[in-house]
Amino acid sequence: MSRSRRKTAVQSVSDVVDGRGGYRVRTEWGQVSVLSGGGHICELKLHSIPGVNPLWRPPWTTIDPDRYLPSKHRRRYGPPPDGKLLSGIAGHSLSFDHFGPPSKEETAAGLSTHGEAPSLRWKLLHKSDSRRPTLRYGRTLPQAQIDFRRTISVDPAHPVIYCEEQATNLSVYDRPISWNEHVTFGPPFLECGTTIFDMPATRSRVNPSVYSERMFLKPDAEFLWPNAPTKQGATADLRKTPDQRFGHYTAQLLDPEREIAFISACNPSQRFLVVYAFRRAEFPWVGNWEERNNRTEAPWKARTFCRGIEFSTTPFAIPRRDTIDQGLLFGERTYCWLPAKASRRVRFLILLFRTPEGFAGVRDVRVGKQSVQVVESAANARVLTVSAESFL
């Protein structure tokens, strides 16, 4: 890479999505972009697969969520508590410090769905065009009294993105929190019957029937990933998305025997594979959220196709009190603690690959000291290897 390109690797951009400002890190292999409004990671691009961003871009025109006013925007984006979140959502968003809607009392007090983090404007804290271009951004969540910041470092030669997040409790109280990396994929990368989703999951549960009238899975059913029972008594393979109108959510417990867990999404026809790797102890759950032209209210309007594969401390998107009251699920805790005046850090890797023809999805991800290996889910499994520093 030339000296001039290194100097401008981390760029301030006035129009990342829908005229909204943010930052873009450019490399030899591609780029990653983030939005200031909500902090969302909204673009992951490979030069070798032009024109495809696997992350979801809503079909409605978004705004920075701090601009949302119920009196002005509720007809376009919906009323509180969801409207503020949906006005600015994109790609990989963060649900913090709770996952799901606020309680009715919290809603009346002004809180929005998925916590303050995805609904406020994040600030630039540091950027560097050094050997590994780095962007650090975040903000203090005033109601939660938590300082949150994310550091993204990008390998200039290999499609590897290093992410570290830190939450610091500014109050004198221990806080029960949810920490959810709400990774959402969309078209053209997301295709019915084609895009393959994988994770090392074990026991799973379907959402209750109140979630959607059009869900085809059996409500509240327990199953072993990826084979979920349907209302008709059949079995659905959740590795792929069927071409029909529906909406549902399933919660997956990741294999407790693993130190490093992962989620992956692969479009074999585009030869594009996205892998997130993380410590299982930090994120024991994965939420599988599927929306296929199901929700009719604004801003969805029965025209939205997306799929979230969300690694998390918490299995279901429900109010905080309900999360705590439900206790353990499958023997696993459903929230974590952020002690008074203390900090908690998590790390994850984002890996992008141009796969061989006919790649059949991911069976395993092996993280070593100098590389990461991705093992194909096939009898004659191929192995994809990328150089990566010891991070997790």
Side-chain angles (χ1 to χ4, degrees):
M1 184 182 293
S2 69
R3 185 179 181 86
S4 60
R5 285 189 67 183
R6 281 200 303 268
K7 287 183 178 179
T8 58
V10 183
Q11 300 175 334
S12 176
V13 181
S14 61
D15 184 7
V16 178
V17 173
D18 296 335
R20 298 166 60 189
Y23 298 90
R24 181 167 288 141
V25 185
R26 299 183 185 273
T27 70
E28 291 181 348
W29 51 262
Q31 64 189 41
V32 55
S33 302
V34 306
L35 288 164
S36 297
H40 316 304
I41 301 173
C42 61
E43 288 182 338
L44 299 171
K45 291 188 175 181
L46 286 175
H47 293 321
S48 59
I49 310 177
V52 179
N53 170 27
L55 297 179
W56 175 48
R57 179 171 179 174
W60 57 87
T61 301
T62 62
I63 61 173
D64 287 327
D66 57 297
R67 293 176 49 205
Y68 173 87
L69 297 172
S71 60
K72 182 178 180 181
H73 297 113
R74 65 187 300 141
R75 292 185 63 183
R76 181 186 301 178
Y77 302 115
D82 290 349
K84 189 172 187 179
L85 171 75
L86 295 177
S87 70
I89 198 168
H92 173 171
S93 62
L94 174 74
S95 301
F96 187 92
D97 70 327
H98 63 86
F99 175 43
S103 68
K104 65 178 183 180
E105 292 86 357
E106 289 172 332
T107 299
L111 293 187
S112 56
T113 298
H114 291 338
E116 293 175 272
S119 295
L120 297 174
R121 183 176 295 274
W122 293 31
K123 301 175 182 179
L124 175 66
L125 302 174
H126 172 76
K127 67 175 182 175
S128 170
D129 292 318
S130 58
R131 181 184 63 86
R132 199 163 79 183
T134 298
L135 168 68
R136 182 177 300 117
Y137 66 129
R139 68 159 298 139
T140 296
L141 311 181
Q143 303 303 323
Q145 297 185 61
I146 295 173
D147 178 79
F148 190 92
R149 53 190 62 195
R150 173 188 288 152
T151 302
I152 296 175
S153 299
V154 179
D155 188 313
H158 307 285
V160 179
I161 303 163
Y162 302 84
C163 298
E164 180 178 276
E165 295 176 345
Q166 175 180 299
T168 302
N169 186 353
L170 304 179
S171 79
V172 296
Y173 294 98
D174 296 342
R175 304 295 301 275
I177 66 170
S178 294
W179 196 323
N180 175 285
E181 304 293 338
H182 201 296
V183 184
T184 308
F185 299 92
F189 175 82
L190 178 61
E191 293 184 276
C192 291
T194 297
T195 311
I196 304 168
F197 296 89
D198 287 297
M199 66 184 84
T202 56
R203 300 179 69 182
S204 307
R205 179 177 289 177
V206 182
N207 56 255
S209 58
V210 295
Y211 184 88
S212 168
E213 295 180 357
R214 295 186 182 88
M215 58 184 288
F216 62 83
L217 298 182
K218 183 180 178 181
D220 295 306
E222 294 185 10
F223 64 97
L224 294 179
W225 169 268
N227 301 310
T230 69
K231 290 179 178 178
Q232 292 73 33
T235 299
D237 183 351
L238 299 184
R239 295 182 72 218
K240 294 185 179 180
T241 304
D243 188 4
Q244 61 187 76
R245 186 180 178 188
F246 72 97
H248 62 224
Y249 179 99
T250 63
Q252 283 67 222
L253 178 67
L254 293 172
D255 184 354
E257 299 299 317
R258 297 185 66 100
E259 180 181 358
I260 302 300
F262 68 89
I263 60 168
S264 68
C266 178
N267 187 312
S269 65
Q270 297 172 358
R271 299 176 62 183
F272 202 156
L273 169 65
V274 183
V275 175
Y276 281 74
F278 47 91
R279 299 184 185 110
R280 194 271 180 194
E282 294 175 347
F283 298 108
W285 298 98
V286 170
N288 168 52
W289 167 56
E290 300 190 61
E291 169 62 29
R292 172 75 176 158
N293 304 325
N294 169 56
R295 304 183 184 192
T296 57
E297 67 274 16
W300 308 94
K301 297 185 177 179
R303 59 188 175 99
T304 304
F305 181 29
C306 59
R307 182 163 179 175
I309 303 293
E310 311 156 9
F311 52 104
S312 181
T313 62
T314 303
F316 286 103
I318 54 181
R320 189 196 315 260
R321 276 185 285 177
D322 295 343
T323 294
I324 294 171
D325 287 346
Q326 75 175 349
L328 302 179
L329 178 61
F330 303 144
E332 185 74 39
R333 186 182 292 276
T334 58
Y335 60 94
C336 65
W337 286 98
L338 185 58
K341 298 293 184 178
S343 296
R344 188 182 184 109
R345 294 181 180 86
V346 301
R347 286 183 167 186
F348 55 91
L349 289 170
I350 308 175
L351 313 165
L352 308 179
F353 296 90
R354 187 173 190 269
T355 66
E357 291 283 356
F359 196 77
V362 177
R363 176 187 300 160
D364 197 12
V365 175
R366 302 167 182 167
V367 178
K369 293 183 178 180
Q370 295 181 326
S371 66
V372 177
Q373 293 183 324
V374 176
V375 182
E376 185 181 15
S377 183
N380 297 314
R382 291 167 286 188
V383 178
L384 309 180
T385 303
V386 64
S387 297
E389 297 179 11
S390 178
F391 185 68
L392 299 180

